[in-house]
Amino acid sequence: MLLLLPPSEGKTPAPDGAAPLDLTTLAHPELTARREQLLAELAQVSARPDATAALGVSAGLAEEVARNTTLHTAPAAPASEVYTGVLYAAAGLATLPDAAARRAEASVLTFSGLWGVVAPGDRIPAYRLGMGVGLPDAGRLATFWKPALAEVLDARAAGDVVVDCRSATYVAAWKPRTTPAADETPSAEWVEVRVLRETDGKRTVVSHNAKHTRGVLAGHLLRREPEARTSEDVLKAAQELVGSVMLTEIGSGKDQTLIEANLLDGKPRGPRTLELVLA
């Protein structure tokens, strides 16, 4: 199984005194040269007076953007501790038991505008850079990363099931190959996760609550035995959660329960869709 996650928007800085970034230790060292290029360019852009506008964030995030100028020397921590958004909290990546943590290290990749991809144990500093940003030299980051990620991830995903919890911005950087290559390298089974809410018999796609639900599914896939190896295994894992409360809405206090999980076929070369229905 290969489990693809988006980064959290907010990131928790490592404790003062922690060792700094060592690019050579990150997953897929073939990406090191591109990571170095972006670190240098990001530092330059982040030092400009218009840095927040250039990086597409609000002026209130100026302090986070300023951290981008010292990423080489800033304290670093495992990615599972730096990424602390809704999805990561629901998955519990930072507190997995030993067997699940080993599975996560082998199967989870977080997509990043700065690093390309990182594994949960990769030590990184807190930074601010979205995949949808364009930098003066590198250009649009999804385009910048696309050829390099295809080179390393096509081989990693071959013959495996890819569970995709990313948003569209990060999907643009790499799409699993679902047809055999010319050299007969096997394709991947690509499963995107979509979350719906049923109200008065009508189903609509949800956004914020979807992050939490995807996180619950991710945590379940990492902890359960045996490991999912096909799209049907992923569906079975999701169906094991039917009847579970996925989250409680803030304000109303209403529980959102998973009532249904379905696996739908997609377009040729596209993903199958795992639909998780909340009510």
Side-chain angles (χ1 to χ4, degrees):
M1 176 181 67
L2 182 58
L3 181 56
L4 309 182
L5 304 180
S8 57
E9 290 189 16
K11 299 162 184 78
T12 299
D16 290 342
L21 171 71
D22 180 353
L23 284 177
T24 65
T25 66
L26 300 187
H28 297 295
E30 307 95 318
L31 305 175
T32 298
R34 285 178 179 260
R35 290 164 174 159
E36 289 176 336
Q37 176 184 341
L38 290 186
L39 276 168
E41 188 171 359
L42 179 60
Q44 292 177 348
V45 171
S46 298
R48 290 169 18 185
D50 66 341
T52 54
L55 297 179
V57 300
S58 69
L61 296 175
E63 184 176 340
E64 292 187 23
V65 169
R67 286 202 300 255
N68 289 340
T69 63
T70 58
L71 293 180
H72 270 299
T73 57
S80 60
E81 298 175 13
V82 173
Y83 296 124
T84 50
V86 172
L87 187 153
Y88 289 84
L93 281 188
T95 57
L96 291 171
D98 290 346
R102 288 192 294 271
R103 179 179 294 174
E105 195 62 25
S107 62
V108 172
L109 288 176
T110 295
F111 276 64
S112 163
L114 181 56
W115 318 113
V117 291
V118 290
D122 286 350
R123 298 181 65 261
I124 58 173
Y127 65 97
R128 194 79 192 196
L129 183 65
M131 187 68 83
V133 169
L135 295 178
D137 293 333
R140 187 65 59 179
L141 294 180
T143 303
F144 173 85
W145 281 116
K146 192 171 184 177
L149 291 177
E151 188 171 340
V152 297
L153 297 185
D154 283 356
R156 166 62 183 86
D160 213 342
V161 59
V162 179
V163 183
D164 198 342
C165 295
R166 300 173 295 166
S167 58
T169 303
Y170 292 90
V171 172
W174 180 68
K175 296 179 180 179
R177 186 173 44 77
T178 57
T179 57
D183 63 1
E184 298 185 357
T185 300
S187 59
E189 279 194 275
W190 180 15
V191 179
E192 67 169 359
V193 181
R194 178 189 300 163
V195 182
L196 306 178
R197 180 175 178 178
E198 183 173 294
T199 305
D200 297 328
K202 295 182 179 179
R203 295 182 176 183
T204 55
V205 176
V206 297
S207 54
H208 180 73
N209 289 348
K211 293 180 181 180
H212 191 282
T213 303
R214 290 187 181 110
V216 173
L217 174 66
H220 183 58
L221 285 167
L222 293 172
R223 291 176 177 86
R224 75 186 291 273
E225 295 293 345
E227 180 177 357
R229 299 190 180 279
T230 67
S231 57
E232 295 298 332
D233 290 343
V234 175
L235 173 62
K236 181 178 179 181
Q239 290 175 333
E240 290 166 358
L241 295 172
V242 170
S244 302
V245 174
M246 293 288 105
L247 57 102
T248 301
E249 291 184 341
I250 297 174
S252 70
K254 182 180 179 181
D255 290 339
Q256 290 292 304
T257 300
L258 182 66
I259 63 168
E260 197 173 311
N262 303 300
L263 187 61
L264 310 178
D265 290 332
K267 298 178 180 178
R269 298 180 181 271
R272 301 182 77 184
T273 299
L274 177 66
E275 283 194 344
L276 304 178
V277 184
L278 305 181

